[in-house]
């Protein structure tokens, strides 16, 4: 390999050459969604980021086992040990079984990921399906002396663990600083230390989501699931663990502590990778903050902050236009630019097929290949890859104009290179004609409905001139408008 792959490791805070533990096999674990609401743009970013990593590792010839979990129990409102389970709360509000809620939003998540061109993982385990594994993990941590039982719950002893292995190695947090800035909250007196986190929570009889355990009826702590399922499907130590930057602390820090406490100090994961946040008006976009835009709203344009509907591929292109470790701030202008950029790439892709070979090549295709490979191997630098692909788009236009030429062999290599990086690695695809037609139809109907709403408002204001003008102009364009008790109806004359 001319350019070895380098990935930024959050654990060491530097780029490191990627060397799998058991090449050519690669174990990749990524934290998936907590399924209690519709997927939004914040969910799209990690899914797309690690989809590109999955695709690229396969492109390099690795055999990847990609595990991405579904959290359907144990994730409490506060992201800590207090409050109500997010899924149980949604179930109570909607008068449904918790698993109805989890299944409904899991299906919605899958639909959105499919639209975004995200490949399904190799394995997609659910937290509720691995209660036994989580109980076994808790038992091991107790046996090693790094946890304690209290009032039917089991807590991880952070202070004791810190003395042996050091707590905070991923986030860079210092336990003494955290202790001085943490006050003991009311209701947390069952913990020995406010930094201790729940491995198993005791559940009252009215708590729907609960299972039998050696410590009584309860449910697993949020952090347990990924450690238990990572071990089950990828072994005691595996290559890459990914997720959003907001998971570094406490979720991933706690995962490391659990794994090392249970396995005699083994590190569990060699490379920790984290994508940065999507922001909206400078603040993290998220369900808990109430400032999110769902993916369905992006696809339909049905949100006050959206000027128009944006196709799933426009969203994917928008996310890949920034490096995964940089923030991405939502704006209509950025999405519109992404839409235009994507169109240019798709147009160039179709035009390549019509190019004619020449007797000589006026530029070096191998240099383009080296540049693309170097960009991807530099910590998945997708914006640089896109910039090089746009250079190739300009070369396509110059070849069409007869200003550049390629031999048959080089033209074939050029075409393969463009298609491989655009479609196979970045995962972009042309927006289907059906999707385009559907968007046009929705926009058309929406514009007509808006005109009729204005006409109705004019009638209510007794502005007959405006009302008649709209009716007459629509008639000239072939629209037949009929006023009914339910409102105006319309159709186009054939």
């Amino acid at each position: 390999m001319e350019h070895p792959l380098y990935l930024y490791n959050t654990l060491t805070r530097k780029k490191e050459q990627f060397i799998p533990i058991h090449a050519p096999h690669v174990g990749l674990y990524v934290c998936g969604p907590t399924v209690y609401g519709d997927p939004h743009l914040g969910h799209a970013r990690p899914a797309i980021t690690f989809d590109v990593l999955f695709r690229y590792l396969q492109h390099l010839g690795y055999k990847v086992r990609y595990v991405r979990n579904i959290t359907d129990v144990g994730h409490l409102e506060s992201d800590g040990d207090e409050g109500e389970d997010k899924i149980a709360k949604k179930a109570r509000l909607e008068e449904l079984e918790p698993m109805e809620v989890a299944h409904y939003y899991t299906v919605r998540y899958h639909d959105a990921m499919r639209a975004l061109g995200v490949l399904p993982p190799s394995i997609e385990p659910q937290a509720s399906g691995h209660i036994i594994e989580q109980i076994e993990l808790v038992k091991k941590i107790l046996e090693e002396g790094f946890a304690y039982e209290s009032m039917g719950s089991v807590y991880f002893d952070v202070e004791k663990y810190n003395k042996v292995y050091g707590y905070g190695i991923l986030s860079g947090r210092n336990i003494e600083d955290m202790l001085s800035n943490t006050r003991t909250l009311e209701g947390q007196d069952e913990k020995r230390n406010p930094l201790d986190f729940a491995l198993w929570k005791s559940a009252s009889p009215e708590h729907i989501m609960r299972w039998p355990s050696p410590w009584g009826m309860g449910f697993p702590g949020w952090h347990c699931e990924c450690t238990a399922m990572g071990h089950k499907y990828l072994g005691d130590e595996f290559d890459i663990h990914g997720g959003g930057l907001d998971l570094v602390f406490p979720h991933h820090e706690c995962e490391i502590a659990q794994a090392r406490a249970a396995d005699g100090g083994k590190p569990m994961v060699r490379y920790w990778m984290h994508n940065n946040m999507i922001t909206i008006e400078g603040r993290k976009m998220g369900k808990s903050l109430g400032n999110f835009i769902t993916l369905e709203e992006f696809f339909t344009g049905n949100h006050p902050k959206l000027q128009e509907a944006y196709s799933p591929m426009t969203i994917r292109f928008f996310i890949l236009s920034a490096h995964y470790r940089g923030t991405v701030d939502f704006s209509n202008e950025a999405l519109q630019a992404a839409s235009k950029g994507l169109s240019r790439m798709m147009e160039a892709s179709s035009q390549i097929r019509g190019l004619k070979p020449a007797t000589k090549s006026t530029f070096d295709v191998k240099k383009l290949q080296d540049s693309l490979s170097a960009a991807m191997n530099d910590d998945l630098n997708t914006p640089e890859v896109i910039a090089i692909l746009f250079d190739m788009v300009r070369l396509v236009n110059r070849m069409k104009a007869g200003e550049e030429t390629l031999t048959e062999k080089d033209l074939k290599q050029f075409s393969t290179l463009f298609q491989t990086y655009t479609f196979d690695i970045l995962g972009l695809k042309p927006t289907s004609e059906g999707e385009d037609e559907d968007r046009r139809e929705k926009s058309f109907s929406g514009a007509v409905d808006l005109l009729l709403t204005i006409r109705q408002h004019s009638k209510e204001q007794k502005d007959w001139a405006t009302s008649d003008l709209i009716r007459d102009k629509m008639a000239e364009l072939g629209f037949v408008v009929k006023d009914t008790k339910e409102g105006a109806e319309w159709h186009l004359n054939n």
Side-chain angles (χ1 to χ4, degrees):
M1 194 188 297
E2 289 182 28
H3 304 282
L5 173 60
Y6 278 79
L7 299 172
Y8 184 85
N9 190 347
T10 309
L11 189 63
T12 59
R13 292 162 184 75
K14 64 181 180 181
K15 292 179 190 176
E16 295 180 352
Q17 185 178 345
F18 176 64
I19 302 172
I21 299 166
H22 302 295
H25 299 278
V26 172
L28 168 63
Y29 190 101
V30 175
C31 290
T34 301
V35 282
Y36 70 104
D38 273 335
H40 56 72
L41 196 60
H43 292 115
R45 194 170 196 195
I48 290 169
T49 295
F50 293 103
D51 179 61
V52 168
L53 175 62
F54 182 34
R55 288 168 179 270
Y56 191 58
L57 288 170
Q58 289 178 310
H59 171 75
L60 293 177
Y62 292 116
K63 295 176 180 178
V64 187
R65 177 178 284 180
Y66 176 16
V67 181
R68 186 187 68 205
N69 70 296
I70 294 288
T71 297
D72 58 358
V73 67
H75 193 172
L76 306 187
E77 292 172 279
S78 63
D79 290 353
D81 298 332
E82 301 305 314
E84 194 172 2
D85 186 292
K86 292 185 177 188
I87 290 161
K89 180 181 179 182
K90 186 79 169 181
R92 179 174 54 76
L93 292 173
E94 297 190 7
E95 298 182 344
L96 296 170
E97 280 289 330
M99 287 306 144
E100 280 185 273
V101 171
H103 180 71
Y104 175 79
Y105 288 112
T106 299
V107 170
R108 301 274 287 177
Y109 177 77
H110 287 157
D111 288 345
M113 294 305 108
R114 197 177 302 112
L116 290 167
V118 172
L119 299 173
S122 315
I123 302 171
E124 192 174 50
Q126 292 174 282
S128 63
H130 295 76
I131 300 297
I132 292 170
E133 289 83 355
Q134 293 174 79
I135 288 173
E136 288 304 310
L137 173 68
V138 177
K139 284 163 71 174
K140 280 186 80 175
I141 296 170
L142 276 165
E143 287 166 11
E144 294 295 325
F146 291 107
Y148 56 91
E149 188 180 349
S150 176
M151 299 168 67
S153 295
V154 180
Y155 290 97
F156 190 91
D157 193 330
V158 170
E159 200 163 15
K160 187 172 181 181
Y161 170 86
N162 183 60
K163 288 174 183 174
V164 180
Y165 297 117
Y167 183 74
I169 58 172
L170 186 68
S171 61
R173 300 191 184 203
N174 179 283
I175 189 169
E176 285 75 23
D177 292 342
M178 286 191 283
L179 279 169
S180 63
N181 293 321
T182 306
R183 60 189 178 88
T184 303
L185 299 174
E186 188 180 342
Q188 285 192 334
D189 53 347
E190 61 187 69
K191 293 184 184 184
R192 293 177 185 169
N193 187 311
L195 291 183
D196 294 349
F197 56 89
L199 299 172
W200 184 265
K201 286 283 284 181
S202 175
S204 56
E206 64 270 14
H207 199 286
I208 305 170
M209 302 171 80
R210 61 197 186 108
W211 291 265
S213 80
W215 317 286
M217 296 298 289
F219 57 93
W222 173 35
H223 312 304
C224 280
E225 60 176 293
C226 293
T227 305
M229 295 189 292
H231 277 173
K232 181 179 176 70
Y233 297 110
L234 298 175
D236 289 345
E237 187 179 3
F238 56 90
D239 298 296
I240 304 169
H241 194 317
L245 195 63
D246 56 336
L247 296 179
V248 170
F249 188 89
H251 188 50
H252 289 166
E253 195 74 76
C254 293
E255 275 195 62
I256 290 174
Q258 289 168 161
R260 295 186 77 189
D263 294 335
K266 285 183 192 171
M268 183 172 86
V269 176
R270 185 170 285 188
Y271 304 88
W272 286 88
M273 293 179 67
H274 295 91
N275 64 275
N276 213 321
M277 300 296 99
I278 299 273
T279 57
I280 180 164
E281 296 167 349
R283 295 178 70 220
K284 174 198 161 188
M285 180 183 287
K287 283 201 285 270
S288 58
L289 297 171
N291 67 342
F292 63 96
I293 303 174
T294 70
L295 290 170
E296 184 178 0
E297 287 167 340
F298 274 103
F299 302 160
T300 61
N302 185 27
H303 190 280
K305 287 189 180 293
L306 298 173
Q307 292 176 5
E308 58 185 272
Y310 298 100
S311 75
M313 281 302 110
T314 296
I315 299 296
R316 187 177 181 105
F317 188 90
F318 165 67
I319 286 171
L320 294 177
S321 296
H323 192 275
Y324 77 89
R325 287 194 289 113
T327 55
V328 175
D329 196 51
F330 156 79
S331 73
N332 282 283
E333 293 75 21
L335 282 164
Q336 287 158 6
S339 180
K340 288 174 185 172
L342 178 65
S343 295
R344 282 179 62 203
M345 286 180 68
M346 295 303 112
E347 188 179 348
S349 171
S350 61
Q351 288 173 342
I352 288 173
R353 291 189 287 270
L355 295 173
K356 304 296 181 189
T359 55
K360 67 170 186 174
S361 296
T362 56
F363 62 91
D364 190 349
V365 179
K366 181 70 167 60
K367 279 188 178 178
L368 288 169
Q369 185 172 1
D370 288 345
S371 297
L372 286 165
S373 175
M376 278 303 293
N377 285 323
D378 182 16
D379 195 30
L380 310 183
N381 194 340
T382 57
E384 179 63 20
V385 169
I386 289 171
I388 297 164
L389 290 172
F390 275 129
D391 288 340
M392 295 177 77
V393 170
R394 285 185 280 274
L395 284 166
V396 169
N397 293 330
R398 289 177 65 81
M399 283 188 277
K400 278 177 60 190
E403 296 167 1
E404 302 279 4
T405 57
L406 286 175
T407 63
E408 185 173 357
K409 180 184 174 184
D410 286 347
L411 181 57
K412 186 177 180 181
Q413 185 182 2
F414 181 89
S415 176
T416 300
L417 195 60
F418 190 87
Q419 311 292 344
T420 297
Y421 275 83
T422 302
F423 301 121
D424 298 343
I425 295 173
L426 294 187
L428 299 167
K429 58 186 178 184
T431 302
S432 71
E433 289 181 14
E435 283 180 11
D436 279 342
E437 187 60 40
D438 187 51
R439 285 183 66 203
R440 281 194 292 270
E441 190 175 314
K442 284 178 180 174
S443 298
F444 178 78
S445 297
V448 175
D449 290 340
L450 177 61
L451 271 175
L452 291 176
T453 300
I454 296 169
R455 176 173 173 265
Q456 180 61 33
H457 180 72
S458 300
K459 287 172 70 176
E460 289 169 0
Q461 300 296 314
K462 302 193 186 304
D463 181 1
W464 309 116
T466 300
S467 170
D468 292 345
L469 177 66
I470 292 171
R471 182 198 59 207
D472 295 343
K473 288 296 181 183
M474 289 182 73
E476 287 176 20
L477 293 170
F479 290 92
V480 176
V481 178
K482 182 181 178 183
D483 291 309
T484 70
K485 288 180 182 178
E486 285 76 31
E489 296 177 353
W490 63 271
H491 68 269
L492 268 172
N493 257 334
N494 295 326

